[in-house]
C-alpha cells in the first residue's frame, strides 16, 4: 500500500467513520477550498453542551478523508470546550503521523470541527472564543498558492532555480 | 489478487530480451569504453552498436546520437546547450504551456539568466497551433521546443508543421519525444527536427539512460564538463549496460511498433468507451483518435479528488496515476490540465491510465468493472456532489 501513509491513515481512508450529513445539524463547519483540492464540511449535534453526533463530508485526498474521519471520532461524546481543544496535532498524532505535505489536512479537520462549534455557539447567541470573521488558523497556511495568471505552475516542493 | 499496471507513462517493465542483452555488461564485459585494452574495446563496441540502433530508430546516422542519463538531462542539454550556444544571435526561446517540467523549469532558469521565453497556449485538446508559433517568432528567436506527445493527456503535436515554422523563422527546433518513441513515427530524414530527447525506461528499457539526437551542424554548449566523452557534450564514464539496454529496447520497439500500437489502441479505446459509458459525469481529457497516443486514456470525474481514486484502485490491484508522477508531491493541479481551460477542482479529479504492449483487453474489462464503484464511493463522501454544476466546455 501507499508508503507515505500509516496503517491507521489507510484504515480510516478505506473505512471512514461518521460519513454523511446531519440534516438538522446544530452547527456546520465549512473549511478548505475545492480549488486547493480539499473541502470539508463538519456537522454537529449538541445536547447539554455535549457533542452527541459529529459527521463529515469531504472532497479531498486520502489524508483529507482520514483526518475528517479521525476528528469526528475524537470529538464524539466530548464537551464543546473539549472539542475546541482538539488540536491539529491531536488529529495527526492519532493517525500515527502524516507526510509533511499532507499536514495541512489535519489543520483543516481540526479547524472544521472548531468552525462547527463556533457556528453552534453563534446560533445560540453565545460568544464564541474567536470573534466572527476572525482569520481561521488554516487560512494562514500557504499550501494552496495558485497563481492563475502564471503561464505555468511550479509545485511548492521544488525549489525554483 | 491479479495486479494490473496502467502507469506506463511513468515507467515501463524492462523487456526480458533487453535485460538478457544487458546482463553480461555488468559482470563479464565491464570495461570502461575509454580504455584501450580489450575490456575497454568490448564496452566501446557495445556502445557503438547501441548508437547505431538508436540512430536507426530515428532514421539517422549513429554519430548524431549523444547518450545521457535520461529524458530530463537530454532536455536540459538541448535547451540550455542551444540557448547558450546561440545567445550571440538572440535570446528568445519559444515553448508551450504543456511541456514536461524538464523543459519548463529549464526555461524558467534561463529567464533568470536574461533569456526571454514565450509559452504558447494550447486548445482544449492540448494542441499547439503552428499559426500561434508563427505569430510568436521574432528575429531574436533562436530555439523552439515543443514536445512530440504529451505525457499526461497524450496529445500528439504537429511537430512536422511546427518544425517547419521554426526553421522558416531561422530558429532550431527541439522536441521532447520521451513519450512518443516507439508509438509515433519520427523519421529524422523527413522531419526538420534539430534536437530530439528520448528515454530508455519509457520503452521497456532500463532507468537512468537516455539520448539526445543532435542534427549535424547544430551547435550546443555542454552542461556537464569533464573528460570530453560524447564529443565533448556529455562528459562522464558511459553507462554501458544502460546504453546497451537502450539500444536493444529501441530496436525491439521499432521492429514491433505496428503490432504494439494496434494492440494498445484497441485496449485504450475499450477503456475509454467502457469508462465513459459506465460512470456518470466522467469525461475524457485530451483528443480522441489519431491525435492521441495509442497508450493514453486520461479521465476526469466530477466531484472527487484523484488521490482517493489511486488509493482505492491500488487496493483493487490497479496501478494508475493522477497525472505526472513527477507531480505527486505537488498540491497544485496539473499545469497541463489547467492549460486546457479546466477549473482547479476539475483537474483534481483526473486519472491517467497509460498502457504498454503487455496490457490486455481482459485487464481493460476488469478496470471498467472496478472504476464505477470506486468513483461512487468517493462521491458519497463529497460535499460537492449534486451541489456543483461545472459550467465549462468539456471534451466528452
Amino acid at each position: 500500500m501507499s508508503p507515505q501513509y500509516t496503517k491507521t491513515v489507510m484504515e480510516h481512508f478505506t473505512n471512514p467513520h461518521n460519513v454523511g450529513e446531519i440534516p438538522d445539524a446544530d452547527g456546520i463547519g465549512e473549511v478548505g477550498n475545492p480549488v486547493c483540492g480539499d473541502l470539508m464540511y463538519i456537522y454537529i449535534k449538541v445536547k447539554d453542551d455535549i457533542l452527541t453526533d459529529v459527521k463529515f463530508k469531504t472532497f479531498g485526498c486520502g489524508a483529507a478523508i482520514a483526518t475528517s474521519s479521525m476528528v469526528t471520532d475524537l470529538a464524539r461524546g466530548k464537551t464543546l470546550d473539549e472539542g475546541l481543544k482538539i488540536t491539529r496535532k491531536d488529529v495527526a498524532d492519532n493517525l500515527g503521523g502524516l507526510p509533511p505535505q499532507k499536514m495541512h489536512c489535519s489543520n483543516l479537520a481540526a479547524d472544521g470541527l472548531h468552525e462547527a462549534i463556533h457556528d453552534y455557539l453563534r446560533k445560540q447567541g453565545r460568544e464564541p472564543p474567536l470573534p466572527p470573521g476572525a482569520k481561521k488558523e488554516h487560512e494562514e497556511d500557504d499550501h494552496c498558492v495558485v497563481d492563475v495568471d502564471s503561464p505555468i505552475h511550479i509545485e511548492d516542493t521544488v525549489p525554483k532555480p | 489478487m491479479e495486479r494490473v499496471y496502467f502507469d506506463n507513462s511513468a515507467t515501463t517493465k524492462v523487456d526480458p530480451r533487453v535485460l538478457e542483452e544487458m546482463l553480461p555488461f555488468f559482470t563479464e564485459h565491464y570495461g570502461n569504453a575509454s580504455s584501450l585494452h580489450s575490456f575497454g574495446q568490448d564496452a566501446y563496441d557495445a556502445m557503438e552498436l547501441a548508437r547505431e540502433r538508436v540512430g536507426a530508430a530515428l532514421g539517422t546516422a549513429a554519430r548524431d546520437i549523444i547518450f545521457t542519463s535520461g529524458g530530463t538531462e537530454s532536455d536540459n542539454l538541448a535547451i540550455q546547450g542551444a540557448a547558450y550556444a546561440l545567445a550571440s544571435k538572440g535570446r528568445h526561446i519559444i515553448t508551450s504551456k504543456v511541456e514536461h517540467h524538464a523543459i519548463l523549469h529549464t526555461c524558467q532558469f534561463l529567464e533568470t539568466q536574461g533569456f526571454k521565453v514565450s509559452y504558447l497556449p494550447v486548445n482544449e485538446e492540448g494542441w499547439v497551433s503552428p499559426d500561434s508559433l508563427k505569430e510568436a517568432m521574432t528575429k531574436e528567436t533562436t530555439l523552439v521546443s515543443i514536445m512530440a506527445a504529451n505525457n499526461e493527456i497524450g496529445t500528439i503535436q504537429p511537430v512536422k508543421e511546427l518544425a517547419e515554422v521554426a526553421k522558416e523563422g531561422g530558429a532550431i527546433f527541439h522536441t521532447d519525444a520521451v513519450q512518443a518513441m516507439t508509438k509515433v513515427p519520427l523519421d529524422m530524414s523527413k522531419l526538420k527536427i534539430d534536437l530530439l530527447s528520448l528515454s530508455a525506461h519509457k520503452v521497456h528499457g532500463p532507468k537512468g539512460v537516455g539520448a539526445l539526437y543532435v542534427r549535424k551542424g547544430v551547435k550546443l554548449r555542454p552542461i556537464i564538463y569533464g573528460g570530453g566523452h560524447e564529443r565533448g557534450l556529455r562528459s562522464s564514464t558511459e553507462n554501458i549496460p544502460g546504453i546497451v539496454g537502450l539500444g536493444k529496447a529501441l530496436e525491439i520497439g521499432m521492429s514491433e511498433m505496428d503490432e504494439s500500437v494496434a494492440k494498445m489502441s484497441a485496449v485504450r479505446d475499450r477503456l475509454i468507451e467502457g469508462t465513459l459509458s459506465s460512470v456518470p459525469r466522467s469525461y475524457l481529457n485530451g483528443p480522441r483518435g489519431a491525435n492521441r497516443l495509442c497508450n493514453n486514456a486520461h479521465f476526469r470525474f466530477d466531484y472527487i479528488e484523484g488521490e482517493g481514486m489511486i488509493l482505492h484502485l491500488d487496493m483493487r490491484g490497479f496501478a494508475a496515476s493522477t497525472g505526472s508522477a513527477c507531480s505527486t508531491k505537488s498540491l497544485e493541479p496539473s499545469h497541463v490540465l489547467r492549460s486546457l481551460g479546466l477549473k482547479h477542482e476539475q483537474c483534481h479529479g483526473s486519472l491517467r491510465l497509460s498502457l504498454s504492449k503487455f496490457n490486455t483487453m481482459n485487464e481493460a474489462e476488469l478496470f471498467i468493472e472496478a472504476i464505477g464503484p470506486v468513483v461512487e464511493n468517493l462521491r458519497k463522501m463529497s460535499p460537492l456532489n449534486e451541489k456543483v454544476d461545472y459550467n465549462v466546455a468539456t471534451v466528452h
Side-chain angles (χ1 to χ4, degrees), chain A residues 1-2 4-5 10 13-14 16 19 34-37 39 41 57-63 65 101-102 104 143 145-146 148 151-155 157-158 161, chain B residues 97 101 104-105 108-109 112 119 303-305 307-308 311-312 314-315 326-333 335 338-339 344-345 348 378 380-384 387:
Chain A
M1 200 54 255
S2 172
Q4 64 173 344
Y5 288 139
M10 286 309 298
F13 167 73
T14 309
V19 176
V35 166
C36 311
L39 180 65
Y41 282 73
K57 293 201 94 172
T58 290
F59 165 85
C61 63
I65 291 168
Q101 73 271 23
K102 301 287 187 178
H104 72 95
H143 74 273
V145 180
V146 178
V148 294
I152 51 178
H153 302 292
I154 305 300
E155 58 263 44
T157 51
V158 176
Chain B
K97 291 185 176 182
H101 283 150
L104 294 178
H105 286 180
Q108 283 198 320
F109 165 71
T112 70
Y119 300 91
Y303 314 128
I304 58 175
E305 202 270 350
E307 188 192 276
L311 295 172
H312 274 299
D314 188 46
M315 285 184 256
C326 311
S327 297
T328 51
K329 289 179 181 173
S330 171
L331 298 172
E332 284 192 20
H335 66 280
R338 286 286 294 140
S339 296
H344 287 75
E345 50 270 49
H348 285 298
L378 289 167
K380 280 180 186 170
M381 277 187 271
S382 172
L384 295 180
K387 289 186 178 176

Side-chain angles (χ1 to χ4, degrees), chain A residues 101-115:
Chain A
Q101 73 271 23
K102 301 287 187 178
M103 283 301 289
H104 72 95
C105 295
S106 62
N107 300 351
L108 286 175
D111 289 359
L113 173 66
H114 300 165
E115 283 297 309

